[in-house]
Structures are given as C-alpha cells and as structure tokens.
Amino acid sequence: MASSDTPELLRAVDVMRRVHDTCVWSRQMTHDALAPYATEEAAEVVDAIERGDRAGLREELGDLLWQVLFHAEVAAADEADPFTLEDVAGTMADKMIRRHPHVFAGEEAETPERVLELWNAAKAAEKPAGASALDGVSPAMPALALAQKVLGRAERAGVGLEFREEIAASEAIEADSGEVLLPTSEEELGEVLAGLAALARARGWDAERALRGRVRALADEVRRAEVEE
C-alpha cells in the first residue's frame, strides 16, 4: 500500500510527533511509564471484540495504535539506542515475510495446520542455539492466558504431559459410564472457572497468585528438562 493511500495514518504519525514535541506530559513519558497504558488499551480492544461493538473496536484499535506511535516516538528520542516507527514497521514486515513462506517464498500450504507448521519452523529458525521453548512468553500476561501459553510450550519440551493424561483418563470414564466429568463448552468452562474463583475468595486465597505459582513451577520444569537434554 503506497503512502498516498494512507493519508490518515500519516496524519496520525504527524499528530503524535507534534504532541510529543510540544506537550509537557508527553515529553516526560518513558517506555516504562507508558507500559500500563498499552496493557489497558489492548484489554479494551479485546473487550470491544467480545461485545461485538464495531464502533468501539474501531475506536479502541485507534487507541492501541496511538500507543505504538507513542512508543516509537519515545524510542526515536532515545540518545543511547534510538529507533523509529520506520524501523518498527520494517522489522515487523521482514518477520512476517519469513513466517509466511507460502505467500512469499513458494512453499505450499493448503491447510491452516500446514500454515502453523511453516510459522513454527520459521520461528524456531530465528532463535539462537540453546534458546528455551519459553523464550518470548511474557510473564506479565494474565494468569490464565499465561497458563495456556506455557502449557503449549511445555508439551513441545515433553513436560506437563500429565495434564493431557488426566484429561484423557476422564474422557475414557465419560465414554464408559456416560457421566459428564468435564466441561463441554466455553460457557461451561467459564462456570467452572468462576466456581474456582469463588472458592478462592471464600477461603481467602489469591486465585491469580495460585495459578501463577503453578505455572512458574511448570516453567521451571521446562528449563530443567532443557538443561538435561
């Protein structure tokens, strides 16, 4: 897409630059100070999606884009290690070209599963030797999202397989007895999670901390397994 096709995007870049140059509050902002706003805006994007709010999504995506522009402007002003929005966009484009060889490099991918195989292969090739399966997983993620991410990475390292085994065992009992032991939908899973949160509240436990602690222990298992290889 040529720059002439994106006048509003260029205007947004110019607005950000002017704000950063002239607004006393904006000039004082650092990446650390801005970090909570990125988290908040990303959460509001997800909320708009889940509510099916198209107008809200358009606005929230703009607010999230503002955070990208803001961080790029702060980075450009860094005397020790500056980079610009152009650098950010170029790095992103290069990465996406590498990870879509079926689009840019002649690979065949007729199914979504094959696309993921190519993506993961390209991602693995980008990592230096000795890199951990957990590299790139942010511990700042919400506990449930972090748990799902770490469990997926752990399985690749052959760790945490007991969870799958327990699920398979419960499914076998369900098949034999006809008794429903596991949630059958996201709505039912939500009920189970809400019940666990209610249990934690009733007993004075911190559900977020409890899950983070278990995920941290799982991550430690992954790193020990990688060292032993």
Side-chain angles (χ1 to χ4, degrees):
M1 184 178 293
S3 60
S4 59
D5 296 328
T6 57
E8 290 303 310
L9 182 58
L10 294 177
R11 186 164 76 97
V13 173
D14 184 63
V15 169
M16 176 71 258
R17 185 164 296 131
R18 184 171 178 182
V19 167
H20 186 259
D21 288 345
T22 61
C23 172
V24 62
W25 183 87
S26 298
R27 287 201 307 269
Q28 293 177 341
M29 286 295 100
T30 64
H31 293 302
D32 287 341
L34 286 171
Y37 298 104
T39 302
E40 179 181 338
E41 299 300 351
E44 291 179 0
V45 167
V46 173
D47 181 59
I49 292 170
E50 292 178 344
R51 288 187 289 105
D53 182 356
R54 297 287 294 175
L57 178 59
R58 175 176 174 174
E59 180 178 353
E60 298 302 344
L61 284 171
D63 290 345
L64 188 57
L65 174 60
W66 182 255
Q67 293 304 308
V68 174
L69 299 178
F70 209 152
H71 278 282
E73 198 65 28
V74 170
D78 188 291
E79 295 181 358
D81 187 18
F83 60 82
T84 67
L85 183 63
E86 281 290 305
D87 297 322
V88 172
T91 299
M92 177 271 292
D94 290 343
K95 179 191 290 186
M96 291 304 112
I97 289 171
R98 288 194 305 270
R99 294 189 183 181
H100 291 81
H102 54 295
V103 176
F104 299 101
E107 288 279 0
E108 295 291 331
E110 299 296 331
T111 65
E113 291 76 15
R114 178 57 178 159
V115 171
L116 288 177
E117 286 178 11
L118 293 171
W119 174 282
N120 289 328
K123 189 173 182 179
E126 294 168 0
K127 291 185 177 180
S132 171
L134 298 176
D135 287 350
V137 178
S138 171
M141 294 171 66
L144 279 173
L146 179 63
Q148 285 193 278
K149 180 71 74 172
V150 171
L151 282 166
R153 300 291 182 92
E155 285 184 9
R156 297 181 207 168
V159 174
L161 301 181
E162 66 273 14
F163 294 107
R164 285 265 187 183
E165 293 167 359
E166 290 171 6
I167 293 169
S170 295
E171 288 174 339
I173 293 172
E174 287 181 331
D176 289 339
S177 68
E179 181 183 2
V180 178
L181 301 176
L182 301 172
T184 60
S185 66
E186 283 193 356
E187 288 76 14
E188 289 185 8
L189 178 61
E191 289 292 332
V192 172
L193 293 173
L196 290 172
L199 173 63
R201 182 174 181 275
R203 297 191 176 179
W205 299 336
D206 186 323
E208 179 85 4
R209 185 172 62 222
L211 183 55
R212 283 190 178 280
R214 182 62 186 94
V215 172
R216 191 178 304 112
L218 182 63
D220 289 342
E221 289 181 52
V222 171
R223 293 189 179 94
R224 283 195 298 269
E226 289 173 336
V227 169
E228 292 168 1
E229 286 181 350

